[in-house]
Amino acid sequence: MAPAGRPGAKKGILERLESGEVVIGDGSFLISLEKRGYVKAGLWTPEAVIEHPDAVRQLHMEFLRAGSNVMQTFTFSASENNMSKWEDVNAACDLAREVAGKGDALVAGGICQTSIYKYHKEEARIKKLFRQQLEVFAWKNVDFLIAEYFEHVEEAVWAVEVLKESDRPVAVTMCIGPEGDMHDTTPRECAVRLVKAGASIVGVNCRFGPETSLKTMELMKEGLERAGLKAHLMVQPLGFHTPDCGKEGFVDLPEYPFGLESRVATRWDIQKYAREAYNLGVRYIGGCCGFEPYHIRAIAEELAPERGFLPPASEKHGSWGSGLDMHTKPWVRARARRDYWENLLPASGRPFCPSLSKPDI
């Protein structure tokens, strides 16, 4: 199957999903740009769109080449406490639109949980913050909206209610695991409340690895089915393995955020994740922190039979290591097969390190 583009007018996000098309999201921005020296850990704010637009543009481009259908604005944590100028949101929209125009990608305006909900829970104040961001997204004419990274379903519902004030489709993802949100609302109930609030697409993102996130998605799907509600499903997990984390996710792990490299998922792990997500009925499949462009390419390659084409980045990547058949060493050439990579148990190279950690909380 040769790499190919998608000519013609772009279909909207709901048109794509309702036709059964696989939509591939993008991946990691905050952690990836921190490693590259453009984001400061701790605040995790997106001022790089102003200070280093070329770095943000390049990462967008790499995700596009890898197969992403969505360029999400780099506006994470755009709250009143850490973004004094809404020009940052404007710049993020411009960068996402510029890159999306180079392929078959849509622009999603993204908002996330606020820093004040945990302490004040002032609905009017929090909705005002969401509404300020929405005004910029509407002005910049983004294709759809994503409310992501919510620990509390109540605040996520408020976000959906505000975003529904526009005429654009709304997706919402929570950063929860199978145990539910921070108020012990189950994933089943979270999904029901979000769809009743008006979201067309629901799911989870960040905080947990692919395996755990898919368990949560299964619970959300069950909740919607039991309630007789319909919505499209979306999953964007970490690019790290986190079977040992607690309810708060990977932020509880002692390796967070500067020692996570030994937990990085392989491209083959991500192909497995993509297939399992698809089989679960999820059609919006992407990644969050730790998801590099090669991980997104793995999703696109695994689901190429369903999509009908490979992404441009696959031009330099043989399926299941097939390019190794040209290697000079015979034992390396012997690895040019699917069963080798599917059954590999990668070693960390650290003989005195545990395979799992004890969460701090």
Side-chain angles (χ1 to χ4, degrees):
M1 186 179 296
R6 295 290 302 279
K10 294 181 182 180
K11 296 187 292 184
I13 186 66
L14 294 183
E15 185 181 1
R16 297 181 191 212
L17 292 171
E18 286 165 4
S19 68
E21 184 175 332
V22 176
V23 172
I24 298 179
D26 58 9
S28 173
F29 271 79
L30 286 171
I31 282 185
S32 294
L33 289 172
E34 190 280 329
K35 289 180 177 179
R36 291 161 168 79
Y38 299 111
V39 165
K40 187 174 183 178
L43 291 176
W44 300 114
T45 52
E47 61 273 7
V49 295
I50 297 294
E51 297 175 354
H52 303 286
D54 288 344
V56 178
R57 181 184 294 109
Q58 178 62 26
L59 195 49
H60 276 309
M61 278 299 306
E62 290 181 26
F63 285 127
L64 182 73
R65 290 193 71 252
S68 293
N69 299 126
V70 176
M71 297 294 107
Q72 186 172 338
T73 58
F74 184 33
T75 48
F76 181 84
S77 197
S79 74
E80 85 288 7
N81 294 328
N82 47 44
M83 288 186 74
S84 59
K85 296 182 179 179
W86 293 103
E87 291 92 322
D88 292 37
V89 180
N90 180 60
C93 291
D94 288 341
L95 288 169
R97 177 65 68 189
E98 176 189 342
V99 176
K102 299 179 184 295
D104 183 41
L106 302 173
V107 175
I111 68 171
C112 70
Q113 67 180 9
T114 66
S115 59
I116 62 176
Y117 174 85
K118 186 175 180 180
Y119 305 101
H120 302 293
K121 297 181 178 61
E122 298 176 19
E123 180 177 356
R125 179 180 174 186
I126 290 170
K127 282 188 170 181
K128 181 180 178 180
L129 294 176
F130 294 150
R131 200 167 283 116
Q132 287 175 322
Q133 293 172 264
L134 175 61
E135 289 172 0
V136 180
F137 292 140
W139 178 52
K140 300 304 292 187
N141 198 31
V142 299
D143 298 304
F144 69 104
L145 301 158
I146 300 176
E148 67 169 4
Y149 199 80
F150 284 85
E151 297 175 298
H152 305 90
V153 70
E154 181 179 54
E155 189 181 19
V157 165
W158 293 349
V160 172
E161 289 172 347
V162 169
L163 297 185
K164 285 296 292 181
E165 294 172 6
S166 76
D167 59 354
R168 291 160 180 79
V170 175
V172 57
T173 54
M174 298 191 66
C175 54
I176 62 173
E179 295 181 56
D181 80 349
M182 294 302 107
H183 288 148
D184 297 320
T185 307
T186 67
R188 295 184 183 93
E189 179 62 21
C190 286
V192 168
R193 291 180 61 178
L194 294 170
V195 172
K196 286 184 175 180
S200 299
I201 307 165
V202 297
V204 294
N205 81 294
C206 205
R207 288 288 182 94
F208 298 88
E211 298 89 350
T212 304
S213 293
L214 289 180
K215 291 177 183 177
T216 310
M217 288 304 305
E218 188 170 1
L219 295 173
M220 284 187 153
K221 181 181 179 182
E222 288 177 4
L224 294 176
E225 290 174 346
R226 291 179 184 179
L229 297 173
K230 292 184 179 180
H232 301 290
L233 301 178
M234 171 180 179
V235 61
Q236 300 205 113
L238 300 172
F240 306 111
H241 293 292
T242 63
D244 45 347
C245 65
K247 188 173 182 178
E248 295 265 6
F250 79 144
V251 297
D252 290 351
L253 296 175
E255 297 91 351
Y256 173 85
F258 301 126
L260 292 164
E261 284 78 6
S262 63
R263 293 175 174 269
V264 173
T266 70
R267 63 196 70 190
W268 318 118
D269 293 330
I270 299 306
Q271 288 206 211
K272 178 183 178 182
Y273 147 72
R275 179 54 57 190
E276 291 179 350
Y278 184 87
N279 290 343
L280 183 60
V282 182
R283 291 297 179 267
Y284 190 135
I285 305 171
C288 200
C289 296
F291 246 80
E292 294 293 334
Y294 73 92
H295 289 126
I296 295 298
R297 181 181 63 189
I299 297 174
E301 290 181 346
E302 176 62 30
L303 299 178
E306 287 77 13
R307 301 176 82 214
F309 63 97
L310 288 166
S314 291
E315 294 175 358
K316 300 291 186 180
H317 188 243
S319 177
W320 292 102
S322 61
L324 297 178
D325 59 10
M326 298 182 291
H327 202 279
T328 58
K329 306 297 184 183
W331 58 89
V332 178
R333 288 199 300 273
R335 300 171 187 164
R337 65 185 198 275
R338 177 171 181 161
D339 67 306
Y340 176 85
W341 296 110
E342 278 191 319
N343 295 304
L344 179 69
L345 299 176
S348 69
R350 294 178 170 85
F352 301 109
C353 290
S355 59
L356 300 176
S357 295
K358 182 179 180 180
D360 289 337
I361 296 178

PDB file of all heavy atoms in Angstrom, residues 187-189 191-192 218-229:
ATOM      1  N   PRO A 187     -16.579   6.222  35.374  1.00  0.00           N
ATOM      2  CA  PRO A 187     -16.476   6.540  33.942  1.00  0.00           C
ATOM      3  C   PRO A 187     -17.809   6.407  33.215  1.00  0.00           C
ATOM      4  O   PRO A 187     -18.094   7.187  32.298  1.00  0.00           O
ATOM      5  CB  PRO A 187     -15.451   5.517  33.439  1.00  0.00           C
ATOM      6  CG  PRO A 187     -14.599   5.227  34.632  1.00  0.00           C
ATOM      7  CD  PRO A 187     -15.544   5.243  35.789  1.00  0.00           C
ATOM      8  N   ARG A 188     -18.619   5.427  33.623  1.00  0.00           N
ATOM      9  CA  ARG A 188     -19.933   5.254  32.987  1.00  0.00           C
ATOM     10  C   ARG A 188     -20.781   6.512  33.166  1.00  0.00           C
ATOM     11  O   ARG A 188     -21.370   7.021  32.213  1.00  0.00           O
ATOM     12  CB  ARG A 188     -20.651   4.046  33.577  1.00  0.00           C
ATOM     13  CG  ARG A 188     -19.990   2.697  33.316  1.00  0.00           C
ATOM     14  CD  ARG A 188     -20.853   1.570  33.869  1.00  0.00           C
ATOM     15  NE  ARG A 188     -20.223   0.259  33.698  1.00  0.00           N
ATOM     16  CZ  ARG A 188     -19.458  -0.317  34.610  1.00  0.00           C
ATOM     17  NH1 ARG A 188     -19.218   0.298  35.765  1.00  0.00           N
ATOM     18  NH2 ARG A 188     -18.920  -1.518  34.384  1.00  0.00           N
ATOM     19  N   GLU A 189     -20.836   6.993  34.408  1.00  0.00           N
ATOM     20  CA  GLU A 189     -21.649   8.175  34.701  1.00  0.00           C
ATOM     21  C   GLU A 189     -21.054   9.430  34.075  1.00  0.00           C
ATOM     22  O   GLU A 189     -21.783  10.314  33.605  1.00  0.00           O
ATOM     23  CB  GLU A 189     -21.785   8.348  36.214  1.00  0.00           C
ATOM     24  CG  GLU A 189     -22.606   9.564  36.637  1.00  0.00           C
ATOM     25  CD  GLU A 189     -24.050   9.523  36.169  1.00  0.00           C
ATOM     26  OE1 GLU A 189     -24.569   8.418  35.856  1.00  0.00           O
ATOM     27  OE2 GLU A 189     -24.680  10.606  36.100  1.00  0.00           O
ATOM     28  N   ALA A 191     -19.436   9.660  31.239  1.00  0.00           N
ATOM     29  CA  ALA A 191     -19.796   9.666  29.822  1.00  0.00           C
ATOM     30  C   ALA A 191     -21.238  10.095  29.626  1.00  0.00           C
ATOM     31  O   ALA A 191     -21.554  10.896  28.738  1.00  0.00           O
ATOM     32  CB  ALA A 191     -19.560   8.280  29.225  1.00  0.00           C
ATOM     33  N   VAL A 192     -22.127   9.585  30.460  1.00  0.00           N
ATOM     34  CA  VAL A 192     -23.551   9.926  30.348  1.00  0.00           C
ATOM     35  C   VAL A 192     -23.764  11.420  30.570  1.00  0.00           C
ATOM     36  O   VAL A 192     -24.468  12.089  29.799  1.00  0.00           O
ATOM     37  CB  VAL A 192     -24.373   9.101  31.349  1.00  0.00           C
ATOM     38  CG1 VAL A 192     -25.804   9.639  31.449  1.00  0.00           C
ATOM     39  CG2 VAL A 192     -24.395   7.633  30.940  1.00  0.00           C
ATOM     40  N   GLU A 218     -13.850   1.383  27.698  1.00  0.00           N
ATOM     41  CA  GLU A 218     -14.844   0.301  27.695  1.00  0.00           C
ATOM     42  C   GLU A 218     -15.963   0.597  28.697  1.00  0.00           C
ATOM     43  O   GLU A 218     -17.148   0.363  28.412  1.00  0.00           O
ATOM     44  CB  GLU A 218     -14.161  -1.021  28.032  1.00  0.00           C
ATOM     45  CG  GLU A 218     -15.063  -2.231  27.877  1.00  0.00           C
ATOM     46  CD  GLU A 218     -14.306  -3.540  27.991  1.00  0.00           C
ATOM     47  OE1 GLU A 218     -13.080  -3.516  28.217  1.00  0.00           O
ATOM     48  OE2 GLU A 218     -14.953  -4.599  27.860  1.00  0.00           O
ATOM     49  N   LEU A 219     -15.593   1.144  29.855  1.00  0.00           N
ATOM     50  CA  LEU A 219     -16.593   1.498  30.857  1.00  0.00           C
ATOM     51  C   LEU A 219     -17.466   2.650  30.369  1.00  0.00           C
ATOM     52  O   LEU A 219     -18.693   2.651  30.584  1.00  0.00           O
ATOM     53  CB  LEU A 219     -15.904   1.873  32.166  1.00  0.00           C
ATOM     54  CG  LEU A 219     -15.137   0.744  32.874  1.00  0.00           C
ATOM     55  CD1 LEU A 219     -14.359   1.294  34.062  1.00  0.00           C
ATOM     56  CD2 LEU A 219     -16.099  -0.351  33.326  1.00  0.00           C
ATOM     57  N   MET A 220     -16.870   3.634  29.724  1.00  0.00           N
ATOM     58  CA  MET A 220     -17.648   4.757  29.188  1.00  0.00           C
ATOM     59  C   MET A 220     -18.641   4.269  28.131  1.00  0.00           C
ATOM     60  O   MET A 220     -19.806   4.689  28.112  1.00  0.00           O
ATOM     61  CB  MET A 220     -16.708   5.807  28.580  1.00  0.00           C
ATOM     62  CG  MET A 220     -15.988   6.673  29.588  1.00  0.00           C
ATOM     63  SD  MET A 220     -15.077   8.010  28.781  1.00  0.00           S
ATOM     64  CE  MET A 220     -15.056   9.234  30.095  1.00  0.00           C
ATOM     65  N   LYS A 221     -18.170   3.394  27.282  1.00  0.00           N
ATOM     66  CA  LYS A 221     -19.041   2.846  26.244  1.00  0.00           C
ATOM     67  C   LYS A 221     -20.216   2.103  26.871  1.00  0.00           C
ATOM     68  O   LYS A 221     -21.372   2.256  26.437  1.00  0.00           O
ATOM     69  CB  LYS A 221     -18.238   1.911  25.339  1.00  0.00           C
ATOM     70  CG  LYS A 221     -19.039   1.296  24.203  1.00  0.00           C
ATOM     71  CD  LYS A 221     -18.171   0.368  23.358  1.00  0.00           C
ATOM     72  CE  LYS A 221     -18.979  -0.265  22.237  1.00  0.00           C
ATOM     73  NZ  LYS A 221     -18.149  -1.199  21.430  1.00  0.00           N
ATOM     74  N   GLU A 222     -19.947   1.318  27.894  1.00  0.00           N
ATOM     75  CA  GLU A 222     -21.007   0.586  28.593  1.00  0.00           C
ATOM     76  C   GLU A 222     -22.035   1.549  29.190  1.00  0.00           C
ATOM     77  O   GLU A 222     -23.248   1.313  29.118  1.00  0.00           O
ATOM     78  CB  GLU A 222     -20.411  -0.276  29.708  1.00  0.00           C
ATOM     79  CG  GLU A 222     -19.644  -1.484  29.230  1.00  0.00           C
ATOM     80  CD  GLU A 222     -19.018  -2.253  30.391  1.00  0.00           C
ATOM     81  OE1 GLU A 222     -19.265  -1.858  31.562  1.00  0.00           O
ATOM     82  OE2 GLU A 222     -18.298  -3.231  30.136  1.00  0.00           O
ATOM     83  N   GLY A 223     -21.543   2.629  29.777  1.00  0.00           N
ATOM     84  CA  GLY A 223     -22.442   3.594  30.380  1.00  0.00           C
ATOM     85  C   GLY A 223     -23.387   4.220  29.375  1.00  0.00           C
ATOM     86  O   GLY A 223     -24.590   4.378  29.639  1.00  0.00           O
ATOM     87  N   LEU A 224     -22.856   4.559  28.207  1.00  0.00           N
ATOM     88  CA  LEU A 224     -23.692   5.166  27.170  1.00  0.00           C
ATOM     89  C   LEU A 224     -24.715   4.166  26.637  1.00  0.00           C
ATOM     90  O   LEU A 224     -25.873   4.522  26.404  1.00  0.00           O
ATOM     91  CB  LEU A 224     -22.809   5.683  26.034  1.00  0.00           C
ATOM     92  CG  LEU A 224     -21.879   6.853  26.386  1.00  0.00           C
ATOM     93  CD1 LEU A 224     -20.990   7.199  25.212  1.00  0.00           C
ATOM     94  CD2 LEU A 224     -22.681   8.074  26.830  1.00  0.00           C
ATOM     95  N   GLU A 225     -24.274   2.930  26.453  1.00  0.00           N
ATOM     96  CA  GLU A 225     -25.194   1.912  25.941  1.00  0.00           C
ATOM     97  C   GLU A 225     -26.326   1.654  26.923  1.00  0.00           C
ATOM     98  O   GLU A 225     -27.490   1.534  26.523  1.00  0.00           O
ATOM     99  CB  GLU A 225     -24.426   0.623  25.632  1.00  0.00           C
ATOM    100  CG  GLU A 225     -23.495   0.748  24.430  1.00  0.00           C
ATOM    101  CD  GLU A 225     -22.638  -0.487  24.222  1.00  0.00           C
ATOM    102  OE1 GLU A 225     -22.573  -1.334  25.146  1.00  0.00           O
ATOM    103  OE2 GLU A 225     -22.031  -0.615  23.137  1.00  0.00           O
ATOM    104  N   ARG A 226     -26.002   1.569  28.222  1.00  0.00           N
ATOM    105  CA  ARG A 226     -27.028   1.326  29.236  1.00  0.00           C
ATOM    106  C   ARG A 226     -28.029   2.476  29.302  1.00  0.00           C
ATOM    107  O   ARG A 226     -29.216   2.263  29.585  1.00  0.00           O
ATOM    108  CB  ARG A 226     -26.379   1.136  30.599  1.00  0.00           C
ATOM    109  CG  ARG A 226     -25.576  -0.154  30.735  1.00  0.00           C
ATOM    110  CD  ARG A 226     -24.953  -0.250  32.118  1.00  0.00           C
ATOM    111  NE  ARG A 226     -24.092  -1.427  32.259  1.00  0.00           N
ATOM    112  CZ  ARG A 226     -23.425  -1.722  33.366  1.00  0.00           C
ATOM    113  NH1 ARG A 226     -23.513  -0.917  34.430  1.00  0.00           N
ATOM    114  NH2 ARG A 226     -22.667  -2.794  33.417  1.00  0.00           N
ATOM    115  N   ALA A 227     -27.546   3.708  29.051  1.00  0.00           N
ATOM    116  CA  ALA A 227     -28.414   4.882  29.119  1.00  0.00           C
ATOM    117  C   ALA A 227     -29.153   5.135  27.810  1.00  0.00           C
ATOM    118  O   ALA A 227     -29.978   6.050  27.732  1.00  0.00           O
ATOM    119  CB  ALA A 227     -27.592   6.114  29.491  1.00  0.00           C
ATOM    120  N   GLY A 228     -28.849   4.327  26.776  1.00  0.00           N
ATOM    121  CA  GLY A 228     -29.482   4.518  25.483  1.00  0.00           C
ATOM    122  C   GLY A 228     -29.020   5.770  24.778  1.00  0.00           C
ATOM    123  O   GLY A 228     -29.755   6.351  23.957  1.00  0.00           O
ATOM    124  N   LEU A 229     -27.783   6.205  25.067  1.00  0.00           N
ATOM    125  CA  LEU A 229     -27.233   7.412  24.456  1.00  0.00           C
ATOM    126  C   LEU A 229     -26.193   7.044  23.400  1.00  0.00           C
ATOM    127  O   LEU A 229     -25.533   6.007  23.499  1.00  0.00           O
ATOM    128  CB  LEU A 229     -26.578   8.293  25.520  1.00  0.00           C
ATOM    129  CG  LEU A 229     -27.499   8.834  26.609  1.00  0.00           C
ATOM    130  CD1 LEU A 229     -26.678   9.537  27.687  1.00  0.00           C
ATOM    131  CD2 LEU A 229     -28.530   9.786  26.017  1.00  0.00           C
TER     132      LEU A 229
END
